[in-house]
Amino acid sequence: MLTVRDLGVRFGGIVALKSVSFDVPRGEICGVIGPNGAGKTTFFNCLSRLNPIPADSIRFDGVSLHEVDPSKIAGLGIGRTFQNLALFGSLTVLENVMLGGHHRARSSWMADSLRLPSSRREEERFREEAWELAGIVGLQDNADQKVSDLPFGFQKRVELARALAARPKLLLLDEPAAGLIHDEVEALGQLVRDVRQRFDLTVLMVEHNMGFIMKLCEHVVVFNFGEKIADGDPASLQTNEAVLEAYLGAPQ
């Protein structure tokens, strides 16, 4: 599903990513971990095409992302949540989720402005899809509430539902467990498994909650100072010397 080869990113004299290479098989839940400043968010921004990337450094489902405009990423099949929630607080849960399907809209601005039947039918279809997704993430009872009035954990679920509304093949989750209490983290893990199976997704997540990552992911990639230092199943990484040194420091 995703192939990364010799990915390098510089911001002036700062090397954010250096020769990063790994693969994410179709249908896998893969985690990307590393200390603060390791390059994880930069990597996600490369996948979203918010950062420039070298030619042929990232291929998604056989397509080089170097050739894809950022506005076309969702249409290609990549959906994303954000570390800092990017929701519209004045809109309802349902309206926020509906926005995830925007790239699939076919009606013209003129039809929308005049509220033509074709535009109303499309809007109703998006509303029905958003209602179904709200049910999947457990928010149908809150569908008509403004997002700004919801607890943080509920807002996280709204953003997940909006990403699913884009009908992605690859779902990028940026620190999905951040700010959640223990019970919410447990429920989130089950929800990620459920949507992976229901929608036949490949999931790639950046996360600092090591317990969450090790329990949920089948494959984990470790970054440190912009480089990939390890890549494998969770059990093998728990005894990997390079990983332990990155997190705990060099032994004295």
Side-chain angles (χ1 to χ4, degrees), residues 222 229-248:
V222 187
I229 61 171
D231 180 3
D233 64 88
S236 68
L237 296 183
Q238 293 183 51
T239 57
N240 184 292
E241 291 186 5
V243 176
L244 294 176
E245 183 175 330
Y247 276 96
L248 304 178

Side-chain angles (χ1 to χ4, degrees), residues 115-163:
R115 300 292 295 159
L116 296 181
S118 61
S119 175
R120 294 200 302 271
R121 285 194 299 270
E122 185 170 67
E123 182 178 338
E124 184 58 31
R125 176 167 58 86
F126 284 152
R127 188 174 299 276
E128 290 173 358
E129 291 177 2
W131 175 256
E132 180 181 356
L133 289 169
I136 290 170
V137 300
L139 291 178
Q140 279 187 346
D141 290 344
N142 310 92
D144 294 324
Q145 280 187 264
K146 287 186 177 180
V147 163
S148 59
D149 295 334
L150 295 176
F152 183 72
F154 281 31
Q155 291 185 25
K156 287 265 190 176
R157 288 175 175 251
V158 175
E159 195 169 52
L160 174 59
R162 185 179 63 184

Side-chain angles (χ1 to χ4, degrees), residues 22 89 200 216 227 232 235:
F22 65 94
D200 191 24
L216 180 63
E227 296 186 69

Side-chain angles (χ1 to χ4, degrees), residues 22-171:
F22 65 94
D23 298 322
V24 180
R26 191 178 305 274
E28 188 174 70
I29 300 179
C30 176
V32 177
I33 64 173
N36 288 330
K40 304 181 300 296
T41 297
T42 297
F43 173 64
F44 258 34
N45 286 339
C46 289
L47 294 177
S48 302
R49 293 297 287 110
L50 301 177
N51 288 335
I53 60 174
D56 290 325
S57 57
I58 304 178
R59 298 188 72 84
F60 167 69
D61 216 13
V63 177
S64 173
L65 293 191
H66 179 264
E67 303 165 1
V68 180
D69 187 84
S71 65
K72 305 298 182 184
I73 287 294
L76 191 64
I78 299 177
R80 179 180 178 177
T81 66
F82 291 85
Q83 179 179 347
N84 298 314
L85 294 176
L87 297 170
F88 294 89
S90 62
L91 300 183
T92 67
V93 168
L94 214 58
E95 289 167 339
N96 270 277
V97 177
M98 288 172 66
L99 288 171
H102 175 73
H103 73 93
R104 297 189 283 113
R106 295 293 177 262
S107 60
S108 66
W109 68 268
M110 180 67 76
D112 290 340
S113 299
L114 297 176
R115 300 292 295 159
L116 296 181
S118 61
S119 175
R120 294 200 302 271
R121 285 194 299 270
E122 185 170 67
E123 182 178 338
E124 184 58 31
R125 176 167 58 86
F126 284 152
R127 188 174 299 276
E128 290 173 358
E129 291 177 2
W131 175 256
E132 180 181 356
L133 289 169
I136 290 170
V137 300
L139 291 178
Q140 279 187 346
D141 290 344
N142 310 92
D144 294 324
Q145 280 187 264
K146 287 186 177 180
V147 163
S148 59
D149 295 334
L150 295 176
F152 183 72
F154 281 31
Q155 291 185 25
K156 287 265 190 176
R157 288 175 175 251
V158 175
E159 195 169 52
L160 174 59
R162 185 179 63 184
L164 293 172
R167 294 184 179 176
K169 293 182 283 186
L170 174 65
L171 178 62

